[in-house]
Amino acid sequence: LAKTTQPISMDSYEGQEVNITCSHNNIATNDYITWYQQFPSQGPRFIIQGYKTKVTNEVASLFIPADRKSSTLSLPRVSLSDTAVYYCLVGNSGAGSYQLTFGKGTKLSVIP
Amino acid sequence: GAVVSQHPSWVICKSGTSVKIECRSLDFQATTMFWYRQFPKQSLMLMATSNEGSKATYEQGVEKDKFLINHASLTLSTLTVTSAHPEDSSFYICSARKTGAGTGELFFGEGSRLTVL
């Protein structure tokens, strides 16, 4: 399973764009990159998933370079409610067992 | 969207008793469900993979006789913490993957907080 590395914590002011980068040097060909958000005492919530280039949805964008050894989650104009831990996971649903291994995550603190 | 529900959301029990936590996929079928444990200010740690109709696969260091997992149907997996002790107090989270889903997106339950006195 591909191991991921993220910054432990980040601070941002309200209204700013936040970019969280994740390294996954040994990502496999079939692996997708998925980002989850977790608030205290809640289960993780899916944010976005991608395989290559750029993916955008209503809450975030995900940038993946051609070598796929890293990815960047971009949160536009963060608010206080975006304060949470963000996890980058790498995995795929190929035949057989499938699981996502959680790294330490990035604790984002949004400051008024 | 896909919804996964856990019950109970919190439970307090005495040391030595057993506690069962349910994980249900409400609007989809899940061949595979996963159980995680999360201690305060730490990341989620995978405990076991629960497969419908077969025995669960446990991660290294997780006692299968202590954490009993049953996945009797495509929408329900249960985790039973047997003879619970204070060190078993933790936040337990389940996740499920839609049967046949290609990209492997997981849907997580709300979590169950266990406190063993």
Side-chain angles (χ1 to χ4, degrees), chain A residues 32 36 38 41-46 49 87 91-94 96-100 102-105, chain B residues 32 34 36 38 42-44 46 49 59 91 93 97 101-106 108-111 113:
Chain A
Y32 280 78
Y36 290 87
Q38 187 183 28
S41 296
Q42 293 187 26
R45 185 172 70 102
F46 173 87
Q49 182 181 69
Y87 294 97
N92 70 78
S93 59
S97 68
Y98 164 73
Q99 59 201 26
L100 293 176
F102 281 79
K104 297 184 184 299
Chain B
T32 304
F34 304 93
Y36 295 83
Q38 186 175 35
Q42 294 188 22
S43 183
L44 286 76
L46 180 66
T49 301
E59 295 299 299
F91 192 53
I93 306 170
R97 180 172 70 91
T103 62
E105 179 184 344
L106 293 181
F108 288 83
E110 314 95 321
R113 183 164 301 283

mmCIF file of all heavy atoms in Angstrom, chain A residues 32 36 38 41-46 49 87 91-94 96-100 102-105, chain B residues 32 34 36 38 42-44 46 49 59 91 93 97 101-106 108-111 113:
data_model
loop_
_atom_site.group_PDB
_atom_site.id
_atom_site.type_symbol
_atom_site.label_atom_id
_atom_site.label_comp_id
_atom_site.label_asym_id
_atom_site.label_seq_id
_atom_site.Cartn_x
_atom_site.Cartn_y
_atom_site.Cartn_z
ATOM 1 N N TYR A 32 -6.025 5.234 -6.953
ATOM 2 C CA TYR A 32 -6.654 6.531 -6.991
ATOM 3 C C TYR A 32 -6.227 7.316 -5.750
ATOM 4 O O TYR A 32 -5.790 6.742 -4.755
ATOM 5 C CB TYR A 32 -8.190 6.391 -6.991
ATOM 6 C CG TYR A 32 -8.753 6.054 -8.337
ATOM 7 C CD1 TYR A 32 -8.679 4.750 -8.835
ATOM 8 C CD2 TYR A 32 -9.347 7.022 -9.129
ATOM 9 C CE1 TYR A 32 -9.189 4.425 -10.072
ATOM 10 C CE2 TYR A 32 -9.880 6.711 -10.372
ATOM 11 C CZ TYR A 32 -9.776 5.416 -10.834
ATOM 12 O OH TYR A 32 -10.278 5.102 -12.067
ATOM 13 N N TYR A 36 -10.142 12.993 2.399
ATOM 14 C CA TYR A 36 -11.255 12.976 3.354
ATOM 15 C C TYR A 36 -11.067 14.082 4.370
ATOM 16 O O TYR A 36 -9.952 14.495 4.674
ATOM 17 C CB TYR A 36 -11.329 11.631 4.092
ATOM 18 C CG TYR A 36 -11.758 10.473 3.218
ATOM 19 C CD1 TYR A 36 -10.833 9.747 2.481
ATOM 20 C CD2 TYR A 36 -13.090 10.095 3.145
ATOM 21 C CE1 TYR A 36 -11.224 8.689 1.690
ATOM 22 C CE2 TYR A 36 -13.492 9.024 2.352
ATOM 23 C CZ TYR A 36 -12.555 8.328 1.630
ATOM 24 O OH TYR A 36 -12.942 7.276 0.848
ATOM 25 N N GLN A 38 -12.184 15.204 8.347
ATOM 26 C CA GLN A 38 -12.732 14.676 9.585
ATOM 27 C C GLN A 38 -12.829 15.763 10.647
ATOM 28 O O GLN A 38 -11.826 16.416 10.970
ATOM 29 C CB GLN A 38 -11.897 13.507 10.124
ATOM 30 C CG GLN A 38 -12.544 12.836 11.328
ATOM 31 C CD GLN A 38 -11.725 11.723 11.934
ATOM 32 O OE1 GLN A 38 -10.503 11.721 11.845
ATOM 33 N NE2 GLN A 38 -12.391 10.761 12.556
ATOM 34 N N SER A 41 -14.715 13.744 16.680
ATOM 35 C CA SER A 41 -15.775 12.802 17.069
ATOM 36 C C SER A 41 -16.766 12.516 15.947
ATOM 37 O O SER A 41 -17.946 12.246 16.196
ATOM 38 C CB SER A 41 -16.526 13.324 18.303
ATOM 39 O OG SER A 41 -15.658 13.389 19.413
ATOM 40 N N GLN A 42 -16.292 12.584 14.713
ATOM 41 C CA GLN A 42 -17.122 12.205 13.573
ATOM 42 C C GLN A 42 -16.315 11.311 12.650
ATOM 43 O O GLN A 42 -15.079 11.318 12.673
ATOM 44 C CB GLN A 42 -17.597 13.434 12.801
ATOM 45 C CG GLN A 42 -18.563 14.320 13.564
ATOM 46 C CD GLN A 42 -19.119 15.426 12.687
ATOM 47 O OE1 GLN A 42 -19.198 15.299 11.467
ATOM 48 N NE2 GLN A 42 -19.514 16.519 13.307
ATOM 49 N N GLY A 43 -17.006 10.541 11.825
ATOM 50 C CA GLY A 43 -16.317 9.749 10.840
ATOM 51 C C GLY A 43 -15.823 10.628 9.706
ATOM 52 O O GLY A 43 -16.334 11.720 9.483
ATOM 53 N N PRO A 44 -14.803 10.172 8.975
ATOM 54 C CA PRO A 44 -14.302 10.960 7.835
ATOM 55 C C PRO A 44 -15.374 11.151 6.775
ATOM 56 O O PRO A 44 -16.252 10.307 6.595
ATOM 57 C CB PRO A 44 -13.153 10.091 7.307
ATOM 58 C CG PRO A 44 -12.726 9.263 8.459
ATOM 59 C CD PRO A 44 -13.990 8.985 9.210
ATOM 60 N N ARG A 45 -15.260 12.276 6.082
ATOM 61 C CA ARG A 45 -16.222 12.588 5.029
ATOM 62 C C ARG A 45 -15.465 12.759 3.728
ATOM 63 O O ARG A 45 -14.453 13.467 3.684
ATOM 64 C CB ARG A 45 -16.978 13.865 5.377
ATOM 65 C CG ARG A 45 -18.090 14.254 4.427
ATOM 66 C CD ARG A 45 -18.867 15.427 4.997
ATOM 67 N NE ARG A 45 -18.099 16.655 4.995
ATOM 68 C CZ ARG A 45 -18.246 17.638 4.113
ATOM 69 N NH1 ARG A 45 -19.132 17.494 3.147
ATOM 70 N NH2 ARG A 45 -17.529 18.739 4.195
ATOM 71 N N PHE A 46 -15.941 12.129 2.658
ATOM 72 C CA PHE A 46 -15.312 12.216 1.350
ATOM 73 C C PHE A 46 -15.325 13.656 0.837
ATOM 74 O O PHE A 46 -16.330 14.338 0.915
ATOM 75 C CB PHE A 46 -16.069 11.312 0.377
ATOM 76 C CG PHE A 46 -15.642 11.426 -1.061
ATOM 77 C CD1 PHE A 46 -14.593 10.660 -1.533
ATOM 78 C CD2 PHE A 46 -16.279 12.288 -1.938
ATOM 79 C CE1 PHE A 46 -14.194 10.746 -2.867
ATOM 80 C CE2 PHE A 46 -15.889 12.385 -3.264
ATOM 81 C CZ PHE A 46 -14.844 11.613 -3.724
ATOM 82 N N GLN A 49 -11.866 12.932 -5.192
ATOM 83 C CA GLN A 49 -11.026 11.817 -5.625
ATOM 84 C C GLN A 49 -10.555 12.062 -7.049
ATOM 85 O O GLN A 49 -11.296 12.619 -7.866
ATOM 86 C CB GLN A 49 -11.798 10.502 -5.550
ATOM 87 C CG GLN A 49 -10.998 9.264 -5.923
ATOM 88 C CD GLN A 49 -11.837 7.998 -5.858
ATOM 89 O OE1 GLN A 49 -12.732 7.769 -6.652
ATOM 90 N NE2 GLN A 49 -11.546 7.167 -4.864
ATOM 91 N N TYR A 87 -7.229 14.151 5.374
ATOM 92 C CA TYR A 87 -6.429 12.963 5.103
ATOM 93 C C TYR A 87 -6.328 12.718 3.596
ATOM 94 O O TYR A 87 -7.330 12.780 2.878
ATOM 95 C CB TYR A 87 -7.048 11.730 5.746
ATOM 96 C CG TYR A 87 -7.057 11.724 7.253
ATOM 97 C CD1 TYR A 87 -8.182 12.109 7.969
ATOM 98 C CD2 TYR A 87 -5.934 11.315 7.966
ATOM 99 C CE1 TYR A 87 -8.197 12.093 9.349
ATOM 100 C CE2 TYR A 87 -5.941 11.286 9.353
ATOM 101 C CZ TYR A 87 -7.074 11.684 10.035
ATOM 102 O OH TYR A 87 -7.081 11.661 11.411
ATOM 103 N N GLY A 91 -5.187 4.315 -2.904
ATOM 104 C CA GLY A 91 -5.569 2.915 -2.973
ATOM 105 C C GLY A 91 -6.421 2.650 -4.187
ATOM 106 O O GLY A 91 -6.754 3.556 -4.958
ATOM 107 N N ASN A 92 -6.785 1.398 -4.358
ATOM 108 C CA ASN A 92 -7.636 1.044 -5.486
ATOM 109 C C ASN A 92 -8.547 -0.106 -5.105
ATOM 110 O O ASN A 92 -8.383 -0.724 -4.062
ATOM 111 C CB ASN A 92 -6.790 0.672 -6.702
ATOM 112 C CG ASN A 92 -6.061 -0.646 -6.516
ATOM 113 O OD1 ASN A 92 -6.652 -1.712 -6.653
ATOM 114 N ND2 ASN A 92 -4.804 -0.569 -6.167
ATOM 115 N N SER A 93 -9.495 -0.364 -5.949
ATOM 116 C CA SER A 93 -10.490 -1.392 -5.642
ATOM 117 C C SER A 93 -10.323 -2.594 -6.553
ATOM 118 O O SER A 93 -11.298 -3.176 -6.992
ATOM 119 C CB SER A 93 -11.894 -0.817 -5.816
ATOM 120 O OG SER A 93 -12.073 -0.366 -7.136
ATOM 121 N N GLY A 94 -9.096 -2.943 -6.789
ATOM 122 C CA GLY A 94 -8.840 -4.107 -7.623
ATOM 123 C C GLY A 94 -9.349 -5.382 -7.001
ATOM 124 O O GLY A 94 -9.837 -5.400 -5.881
ATOM 125 N N GLY A 96 -9.883 -8.705 -5.013
ATOM 126 C CA GLY A 96 -9.374 -9.093 -3.704
ATOM 127 C C GLY A 96 -9.632 -8.029 -2.645
ATOM 128 O O GLY A 96 -10.454 -7.148 -2.825
ATOM 129 N N SER A 97 -8.935 -8.112 -1.564
ATOM 130 C CA SER A 97 -9.173 -7.170 -0.473
ATOM 131 C C SER A 97 -8.722 -5.781 -0.875
ATOM 132 O O SER A 97 -7.820 -5.603 -1.692
ATOM 133 C CB SER A 97 -8.436 -7.624 0.785
ATOM 134 O OG SER A 97 -7.055 -7.513 0.598
ATOM 135 N N TYR A 98 -9.335 -4.820 -0.307
ATOM 136 C CA TYR A 98 -9.046 -3.430 -0.636
ATOM 137 C C TYR A 98 -9.182 -2.613 0.632
ATOM 138 O O TYR A 98 -10.103 -2.786 1.391
ATOM 139 C CB TYR A 98 -10.036 -2.940 -1.684
ATOM 140 C CG TYR A 98 -10.072 -1.445 -1.812
ATOM 141 C CD1 TYR A 98 -9.033 -0.764 -2.407
ATOM 142 C CD2 TYR A 98 -11.147 -0.729 -1.314
ATOM 143 C CE1 TYR A 98 -9.059 0.606 -2.510
ATOM 144 C CE2 TYR A 98 -11.177 0.646 -1.419
ATOM 145 C CZ TYR A 98 -10.136 1.311 -2.018
ATOM 146 O OH TYR A 98 -10.176 2.670 -2.123
ATOM 147 N N GLN A 99 -8.284 -1.768 0.862
ATOM 148 C CA GLN A 99 -8.366 -0.950 2.059
ATOM 149 C C GLN A 99 -7.618 0.342 1.827
ATOM 150 O O GLN A 99 -6.792 0.439 0.944
ATOM 151 C CB GLN A 99 -7.773 -1.690 3.253
ATOM 152 C CG GLN A 99 -6.315 -2.077 3.051
ATOM 153 C CD GLN A 99 -5.906 -3.211 3.983
ATOM 154 O OE1 GLN A 99 -6.722 -4.005 4.406
ATOM 155 N NE2 GLN A 99 -4.639 -3.287 4.301
ATOM 156 N N LEU A 100 -7.949 1.306 2.609
ATOM 157 C CA LEU A 100 -7.262 2.584 2.575
ATOM 158 C C LEU A 100 -6.526 2.763 3.896
ATOM 159 O O LEU A 100 -7.106 2.613 4.948
ATOM 160 C CB LEU A 100 -8.259 3.720 2.379
ATOM 161 C CG LEU A 100 -8.982 3.772 1.029
ATOM 162 C CD1 LEU A 100 -9.994 4.885 1.018
ATOM 163 C CD2 LEU A 100 -7.999 3.934 -0.103
ATOM 164 N N PHE A 102 -4.789 5.154 6.499
ATOM 165 C CA PHE A 102 -4.753 6.554 6.885
ATOM 166 C C PHE A 102 -3.374 6.940 7.397
ATOM 167 O O PHE A 102 -2.801 6.260 8.244
ATOM 168 C CB PHE A 102 -5.792 6.823 7.971
ATOM 169 C CG PHE A 102 -7.187 6.963 7.449
ATOM 170 C CD1 PHE A 102 -7.934 5.840 7.131
ATOM 171 C CD2 PHE A 102 -7.753 8.209 7.262
ATOM 172 C CE1 PHE A 102 -9.224 5.961 6.648
ATOM 173 C CE2 PHE A 102 -9.040 8.346 6.773
ATOM 174 C CZ PHE A 102 -9.777 7.216 6.464
ATOM 175 N N GLY A 103 -2.861 8.034 6.866
ATOM 176 C CA GLY A 103 -1.654 8.624 7.421
ATOM 177 C C GLY A 103 -2.028 9.506 8.591
ATOM 178 O O GLY A 103 -3.134 9.412 9.132
ATOM 179 N N LYS A 104 -1.143 10.380 8.972
ATOM 180 C CA LYS A 104 -1.387 11.220 10.140
ATOM 181 C C LYS A 104 -2.343 12.368 9.845
ATOM 182 O O LYS A 104 -2.913 12.960 10.754
ATOM 183 C CB LYS A 104 -0.062 11.758 10.674
ATOM 184 C CG LYS A 104 0.865 10.654 11.168
ATOM 185 C CD LYS A 104 2.133 11.242 11.777
ATOM 186 C CE LYS A 104 3.092 10.136 12.184
ATOM 187 N NZ LYS A 104 2.515 9.240 13.189
ATOM 188 N N GLY A 105 -2.507 12.722 8.582
ATOM 189 C CA GLY A 105 -3.420 13.796 8.240
ATOM 190 C C GLY A 105 -2.845 15.173 8.503
ATOM 191 O O GLY A 105 -1.781 15.321 9.117
ATOM 192 N N THR B 32 -17.869 -5.425 1.277
ATOM 193 C CA THR B 32 -16.741 -5.263 2.195
ATOM 194 C C THR B 32 -16.951 -4.055 3.101
ATOM 195 O O THR B 32 -17.320 -2.990 2.622
ATOM 196 C CB THR B 32 -15.423 -5.086 1.409
ATOM 197 O OG1 THR B 32 -15.244 -6.195 0.534
ATOM 198 C CG2 THR B 32 -14.245 -5.003 2.363
ATOM 199 N N PHE B 34 -15.058 -2.052 6.610
ATOM 200 C CA PHE B 34 -13.810 -1.928 7.345
ATOM 201 C C PHE B 34 -14.086 -1.346 8.724
ATOM 202 O O PHE B 34 -14.943 -0.493 8.897
ATOM 203 C CB PHE B 34 -12.834 -1.021 6.592
ATOM 204 C CG PHE B 34 -12.541 -1.466 5.188
ATOM 205 C CD1 PHE B 34 -13.288 -0.979 4.122
ATOM 206 C CD2 PHE B 34 -11.530 -2.374 4.932
ATOM 207 C CE1 PHE B 34 -13.040 -1.392 2.823
ATOM 208 C CE2 PHE B 34 -11.266 -2.788 3.629
ATOM 209 C CZ PHE B 34 -12.019 -2.302 2.586
ATOM 210 N N TYR B 36 -12.252 0.611 11.953
ATOM 211 C CA TYR B 36 -11.106 1.383 12.381
ATOM 212 C C TYR B 36 -11.261 1.728 13.861
ATOM 213 O O TYR B 36 -12.358 1.780 14.410
ATOM 214 C CB TYR B 36 -10.999 2.696 11.597
ATOM 215 C CG TYR B 36 -10.733 2.550 10.104
ATOM 216 C CD1 TYR B 36 -11.777 2.315 9.213
ATOM 217 C CD2 TYR B 36 -9.447 2.675 9.599
ATOM 218 C CE1 TYR B 36 -11.542 2.200 7.855
ATOM 219 C CE2 TYR B 36 -9.198 2.569 8.237
ATOM 220 C CZ TYR B 36 -10.254 2.336 7.382
ATOM 221 O OH TYR B 36 -10.020 2.219 6.032
ATOM 222 N N GLN B 38 -9.764 4.782 16.566
ATOM 223 C CA GLN B 38 -9.058 6.062 16.602
ATOM 224 C C GLN B 38 -8.945 6.548 18.044
ATOM 225 O O GLN B 38 -9.959 6.775 18.706
ATOM 226 C CB GLN B 38 -9.788 7.109 15.748
ATOM 227 C CG GLN B 38 -9.052 8.426 15.624
ATOM 228 C CD GLN B 38 -9.750 9.382 14.670
ATOM 229 O OE1 GLN B 38 -10.971 9.416 14.588
ATOM 230 N NE2 GLN B 38 -8.969 10.178 13.948
ATOM 231 N N GLN B 42 -5.138 11.123 17.277
ATOM 232 C CA GLN B 42 -4.392 10.224 16.417
ATOM 233 C C GLN B 42 -5.206 9.913 15.171
ATOM 234 O O GLN B 42 -6.396 10.228 15.089
ATOM 235 C CB GLN B 42 -4.039 8.925 17.150
ATOM 236 C CG GLN B 42 -3.066 9.120 18.298
ATOM 237 C CD GLN B 42 -2.584 7.806 18.870
ATOM 238 O OE1 GLN B 42 -2.630 6.767 18.207
ATOM 239 N NE2 GLN B 42 -2.125 7.831 20.107
ATOM 240 N N SER B 43 -4.551 9.297 14.208
ATOM 241 C CA SER B 43 -5.225 8.945 12.969
ATOM 242 C C SER B 43 -6.028 7.660 13.147
ATOM 243 O O SER B 43 -5.970 7.009 14.191
ATOM 244 C CB SER B 43 -4.182 8.762 11.872
ATOM 245 O OG SER B 43 -4.802 8.486 10.642
ATOM 246 N N LEU B 44 -6.795 7.336 12.132
ATOM 247 C CA LEU B 44 -7.550 6.091 12.160
ATOM 248 C C LEU B 44 -6.610 4.919 11.933
ATOM 249 O O LEU B 44 -5.745 4.960 11.058
ATOM 250 C CB LEU B 44 -8.624 6.077 11.068
ATOM 251 C CG LEU B 44 -9.859 6.937 11.258
ATOM 252 C CD1 LEU B 44 -9.567 8.399 11.010
ATOM 253 C CD2 LEU B 44 -10.993 6.449 10.374
ATOM 254 N N LEU B 46 -6.635 0.942 10.964
ATOM 255 C CA LEU B 46 -7.451 -0.158 10.473
ATOM 256 C C LEU B 46 -7.320 -1.367 11.389
ATOM 257 O O LEU B 46 -6.209 -1.797 11.710
ATOM 258 C CB LEU B 46 -7.029 -0.531 9.053
ATOM 259 C CG LEU B 46 -7.802 -1.667 8.389
ATOM 260 C CD1 LEU B 46 -9.248 -1.261 8.147
ATOM 261 C CD2 LEU B 46 -7.141 -2.074 7.075
ATOM 262 N N THR B 49 -10.858 -6.107 8.141
ATOM 263 C CA THR B 49 -11.681 -6.035 6.941
ATOM 264 C C THR B 49 -12.769 -7.090 7.072
ATOM 265 O O THR B 49 -12.472 -8.276 7.299
ATOM 266 C CB THR B 49 -10.850 -6.304 5.690
ATOM 267 O OG1 THR B 49 -9.803 -5.328 5.620
ATOM 268 C CG2 THR B 49 -11.700 -6.228 4.439
ATOM 269 N N GLU B 59 -5.941 -7.038 11.088
ATOM 270 C CA GLU B 59 -4.610 -6.456 10.951
ATOM 271 C C GLU B 59 -3.703 -7.010 12.045
ATOM 272 O O GLU B 59 -4.158 -7.474 13.105
ATOM 273 C CB GLU B 59 -4.678 -4.941 11.046
ATOM 274 C CG GLU B 59 -5.444 -4.290 9.900
ATOM 275 C CD GLU B 59 -4.794 -4.583 8.557
ATOM 276 O OE1 GLU B 59 -3.622 -4.204 8.352
ATOM 277 O OE2 GLU B 59 -5.481 -5.182 7.693
ATOM 278 N N PHE B 91 -12.591 5.494 19.898
ATOM 279 C CA PHE B 91 -13.604 5.866 18.911
ATOM 280 C C PHE B 91 -13.512 4.833 17.795
ATOM 281 O O PHE B 91 -12.464 4.692 17.163
ATOM 282 C CB PHE B 91 -13.301 7.278 18.393
ATOM 283 C CG PHE B 91 -14.392 7.911 17.589
ATOM 284 C CD1 PHE B 91 -15.680 7.993 18.087
ATOM 285 C CD2 PHE B 91 -14.136 8.459 16.343
ATOM 286 C CE1 PHE B 91 -16.695 8.599 17.359
ATOM 287 C CE2 PHE B 91 -15.141 9.073 15.609
ATOM 288 C CZ PHE B 91 -16.415 9.144 16.110
ATOM 289 N N ILE B 93 -14.812 3.359 14.212
ATOM 290 C CA ILE B 93 -15.437 3.850 12.988
ATOM 291 C C ILE B 93 -15.482 2.729 11.957
ATOM 292 O O ILE B 93 -14.512 1.989 11.807
ATOM 293 C CB ILE B 93 -14.645 5.034 12.389
ATOM 294 C CG1 ILE B 93 -14.455 6.138 13.431
ATOM 295 C CG2 ILE B 93 -15.341 5.589 11.150
ATOM 296 C CD1 ILE B 93 -13.478 7.222 12.987
ATOM 297 N N ARG B 97 -17.700 -0.062 1.274
ATOM 298 C CA ARG B 97 -17.477 0.227 -0.145
ATOM 299 C C ARG B 97 -18.623 -0.387 -0.929
ATOM 300 O O ARG B 97 -19.010 -1.518 -0.681
ATOM 301 C CB ARG B 97 -16.153 -0.368 -0.590
ATOM 302 C CG ARG B 97 -15.812 -0.123 -2.052
ATOM 303 C CD ARG B 97 -14.397 -0.569 -2.349
ATOM 304 N NE ARG B 97 -14.248 -2.004 -2.307
ATOM 305 C CZ ARG B 97 -14.404 -2.814 -3.364
ATOM 306 N NH1 ARG B 97 -14.735 -2.307 -4.515
ATOM 307 N NH2 ARG B 97 -14.231 -4.111 -3.233
ATOM 308 N N ALA B 101 -18.098 -1.081 -6.985
ATOM 309 C CA ALA B 101 -17.599 0.276 -7.225
ATOM 310 C C ALA B 101 -16.180 0.201 -7.782
ATOM 311 O O ALA B 101 -15.351 -0.518 -7.256
ATOM 312 C CB ALA B 101 -17.627 1.082 -5.943
ATOM 313 N N GLY B 102 -15.908 0.983 -8.839
ATOM 314 C CA GLY B 102 -14.615 0.892 -9.473
ATOM 315 C C GLY B 102 -13.521 1.695 -8.812
ATOM 316 O O GLY B 102 -12.402 1.231 -8.705
ATOM 317 N N THR B 103 -13.811 2.885 -8.379
ATOM 318 C CA THR B 103 -12.749 3.727 -7.861
ATOM 319 C C THR B 103 -12.484 3.509 -6.386
ATOM 320 O O THR B 103 -11.529 4.036 -5.861
ATOM 321 C CB THR B 103 -13.094 5.212 -8.073
ATOM 322 O OG1 THR B 103 -14.290 5.517 -7.351
ATOM 323 C CG2 THR B 103 -13.293 5.508 -9.538
ATOM 324 N N GLY B 104 -13.307 2.769 -5.736
ATOM 325 C CA GLY B 104 -13.031 2.419 -4.355
ATOM 326 C C GLY B 104 -13.370 3.449 -3.317
ATOM 327 O O GLY B 104 -12.831 3.413 -2.217
ATOM 328 N N GLU B 105 -14.242 4.377 -3.633
ATOM 329 C CA GLU B 105 -14.618 5.362 -2.621
ATOM 330 C C GLU B 105 -15.275 4.671 -1.445
ATOM 331 O O GLU B 105 -16.120 3.798 -1.620
ATOM 332 C CB GLU B 105 -15.588 6.377 -3.214
ATOM 333 C CG GLU B 105 -16.059 7.430 -2.214
ATOM 334 C CD GLU B 105 -17.090 8.357 -2.804
ATOM 335 O OE1 GLU B 105 -17.223 8.395 -4.032
ATOM 336 O OE2 GLU B 105 -17.791 9.025 -2.018
ATOM 337 N N LEU B 106 -14.837 5.071 -0.268
ATOM 338 C CA LEU B 106 -15.394 4.515 0.957
ATOM 339 C C LEU B 106 -16.355 5.504 1.600
ATOM 340 O O LEU B 106 -16.166 6.710 1.524
ATOM 341 C CB LEU B 106 -14.286 4.189 1.954
ATOM 342 C CG LEU B 106 -13.325 3.072 1.577
ATOM 343 C CD1 LEU B 106 -12.314 2.874 2.691
ATOM 344 C CD2 LEU B 106 -14.081 1.774 1.320
ATOM 345 N N PHE B 108 -18.084 6.415 5.257
ATOM 346 C CA PHE B 108 -17.819 6.179 6.669
ATOM 347 C C PHE B 108 -19.054 6.411 7.529
ATOM 348 O O PHE B 108 -19.884 7.274 7.237
ATOM 349 C CB PHE B 108 -16.698 7.101 7.156
ATOM 350 C CG PHE B 108 -15.350 6.707 6.640
ATOM 351 C CD1 PHE B 108 -14.928 7.105 5.383
ATOM 352 C CD2 PHE B 108 -14.497 5.926 7.411
ATOM 353 C CE1 PHE B 108 -13.687 6.725 4.893
ATOM 354 C CE2 PHE B 108 -13.252 5.549 6.939
ATOM 355 C CZ PHE B 108 -12.847 5.951 5.671
ATOM 356 N N GLY B 109 -19.112 5.632 8.591
ATOM 357 C CA GLY B 109 -20.145 5.858 9.588
ATOM 358 C C GLY B 109 -19.776 7.039 10.471
ATOM 359 O O GLY B 109 -18.690 7.613 10.357
ATOM 360 N N GLU B 110 -20.709 7.364 11.382
ATOM 361 C CA GLU B 110 -20.498 8.530 12.241
ATOM 362 C C GLU B 110 -19.539 8.230 13.382
ATOM 363 O O GLU B 110 -19.083 9.137 14.069
ATOM 364 C CB GLU B 110 -21.832 9.005 12.835
ATOM 365 C CG GLU B 110 -22.963 9.101 11.819
ATOM 366 C CD GLU B 110 -23.802 7.841 11.797
ATOM 367 O OE1 GLU B 110 -23.239 6.715 11.910
ATOM 368 O OE2 GLU B 110 -25.038 7.965 11.681
ATOM 369 N N GLY B 111 -19.240 6.975 13.573
ATOM 370 C CA GLY B 111 -18.347 6.601 14.661
ATOM 371 C C GLY B 111 -19.106 6.246 15.929
ATOM 372 O O GLY B 111 -20.236 6.704 16.158
ATOM 373 N N ARG B 113 -18.320 5.955 20.097
ATOM 374 C CA ARG B 113 -17.341 6.185 21.158
ATOM 375 C C ARG B 113 -17.608 5.231 22.312
ATOM 376 O O ARG B 113 -18.690 5.245 22.907
ATOM 377 C CB ARG B 113 -17.381 7.628 21.648
ATOM 378 C CG ARG B 113 -16.302 7.901 22.710
ATOM 379 C CD ARG B 113 -16.060 9.377 22.927
ATOM 380 N NE ARG B 113 -15.639 10.075 21.720
ATOM 381 C CZ ARG B 113 -14.430 10.024 21.201
ATOM 382 N NH1 ARG B 113 -13.498 9.288 21.761
ATOM 383 N NH2 ARG B 113 -14.147 10.723 20.119
#
